[in-house]
Structure formats: structure tokens, C-alpha cells
Amino acid sequence: SDLQREVEHGELLQPLIFILLVSGSVLLYFKVSLMDPGFVKSDEEAEAGKSEEHSWVTAQVPSNIKMRRCGYCMLKQPMRAKHCQLCQHCVRRYDHHCPWIGNCVGERNHPLFIVYLSVQLVVLLWGGQVAWSGLHFEQSWDWLQHNIVLLTSFLLIVIFTIIVLLLLISHLYLISSNTTTWEFMSHHRISYLRHSELENPFDQGVVLNLWRFFC
């Protein structure tokens, strides 16, 4: 492959960058999967965080929508929070439970989750290019025997690249409209959305939505 040829010629810059990107994606994976996604831990903490939650709420949310008590952990849920039965916790600004990282994506780790997906996509695209550069197709059984691992790796990289790309695009679209995956999928079942005059009462424009999410 291209990276192998560069190593053999003593050109180590690109191989080192590739290794750093792979290492960075692994570290981001563990960071996102192990960190607190924004668990609601007590009534006192929920009240203390109410002012922070208010920054995500606009005047179009009906005033009669009150904080409700979770039927599972019996804590008062801030608006946009949801109980995750897999994590056994209520999560602030709940987006979804990701089986790949084994953790919820919520208020605290959602921005880092987007960074992780972005780095992972770069690694997959580069890895796909590296695998492709090592394939020189020949119509023979011997060629297939010697290249089966590399060919399988390339096909797997293509599949994962498509998955990560679609996931990243969908998340960026939802972030740009200040909507979570849970709110998008369950709009008709969420009280503060069902009773709102607007389809999305949290949308404050693409620029401000992105700024508040990432900054």
C-alpha cells in the first residue's frame, strides 16, 4: 500500500499522521463512551440546572408545560430530558442511546460525539484509500488467496464509511435545527412539542443553533 511504500523509503510523516489519527479516534471513543452524558442525579441538581436549560428554551414553548417526575427513577425531569432504560438514568437533552459506544448521547457528550464521528470518518476514508492502493486486481485464484484479507478490509471500510457518513450528516442536520434524535423520532409523543404552536419551538436559526451547540 501507499503507507508501506512510504515507510520503506523512510518517508514517515504521513504514516505518523495516520497513526495519530487512529489513536485519536480510539481515545475519543473511550472518552465519549465513559463520560457522563448529562445524567439527572437529584431534584436539587435538576433545579440548579434549570437556568442552564432555559438557554435552550424559547418563548414559543407553552407556559403550562411543567417539569414532570420520571416514573422510573422518580426524579424531576428538566425539559428535553428522557429516561434511558439501558443506562437506568434520566439524561439531559437526551439524543439517543448509542449501542456502539455503550452509552447515551446527551447534553454533555453530544458535541464530543460529533467530533468523534468526524475523526472516525477521516480515518475510514484514509484507510479505504490505503487499502485500495494495495490492491492490484488479477483474475486468478492465487491473487485472491494472497489478497483476501486486504480485500475484505476494504469492503468493511466502505460499509462503515457509509454508515458513519450518514450518521454524521443526520446529526449535523438535527443540530442545525436544534432538534435531538429523540425529539425528531417521537415528536407526537412529547408534551412540550405536541402542544407547541410551532413544529420546533427551540429553533433559533442555523447559525445560533450551531453556535450554542458547539460553543
Side-chain angles (χ1 to χ4, degrees), residues 138-152:
E138 297 177 9
Q139 293 183 348
S140 68
W141 179 250
D142 288 338
W143 179 90
L144 184 61
Q145 283 184 316
H146 284 92
N147 292 273
I148 187 66
V149 174
L150 192 58
L151 187 60
T152 304

Side-chain angles (χ1 to χ4, degrees), residues 100 117 121 124 156-171:
W100 177 246
L117 288 180
L121 181 61
L124 286 168
L156 286 174
I157 288 172
V158 170
I159 293 171
F160 283 122
T161 299
I162 294 172
I163 293 172
V164 172
L165 180 62
L166 293 176
L167 191 60
L168 182 60
I169 291 173
S170 64
H171 272 277

Side-chain angles (χ1 to χ4, degrees), residues 5-135:
R5 283 192 288 271
E6 289 184 4
V7 170
E8 290 173 352
H9 289 86
E11 300 172 358
L12 302 179
L13 181 59
Q14 288 197 35
L16 285 175
I17 294 174
F18 183 76
I19 292 171
L20 287 174
L21 278 172
V22 173
S23 302
S25 69
V26 172
L27 291 175
L28 282 169
Y29 171 82
F30 283 110
K31 177 65 176 178
V32 174
S33 62
L34 296 176
M35 73 181 295
D36 178 356
F39 294 134
V40 181
K41 298 178 181 178
S42 69
D43 290 349
E44 292 78 17
E45 287 188 15
E47 289 294 333
K50 197 172 182 181
S51 60
E52 181 182 349
E53 290 287 336
H54 184 71
S55 66
W56 293 93
V57 181
T58 63
Q60 286 80 6
V61 177
S63 58
N64 61 332
I65 303 297
K66 305 296 182 183
M67 291 175 63
R68 68 184 186 90
R69 194 171 291 276
C70 176
Y72 294 95
C73 55
M74 302 310 293
L75 296 176
K76 283 186 178 179
Q77 283 187 338
M79 190 174 289
R80 310 191 79 176
K82 183 184 181 296
H83 184 88
C84 175
Q85 297 191 33
L86 294 173
C87 292
Q88 294 298 307
H89 283 288
C90 287
V91 180
R92 295 178 183 275
R93 201 175 181 277
Y94 175 88
D95 189 85
H96 71 287
H97 182 92
C98 179
W100 177 246
I101 65 173
N103 193 12
C104 281
V105 176
E107 184 180 77
R108 294 190 61 189
N109 67 346
H110 199 173
L112 201 60
F113 180 73
I114 299 301
V115 175
Y116 163 67
L117 288 180
S118 302
V119 174
Q120 191 65 56
L121 181 61
V122 173
V123 170
L124 286 168
L125 289 171
W126 196 348
Q129 185 273 326
V130 170
W132 180 259
S133 70
L135 291 171

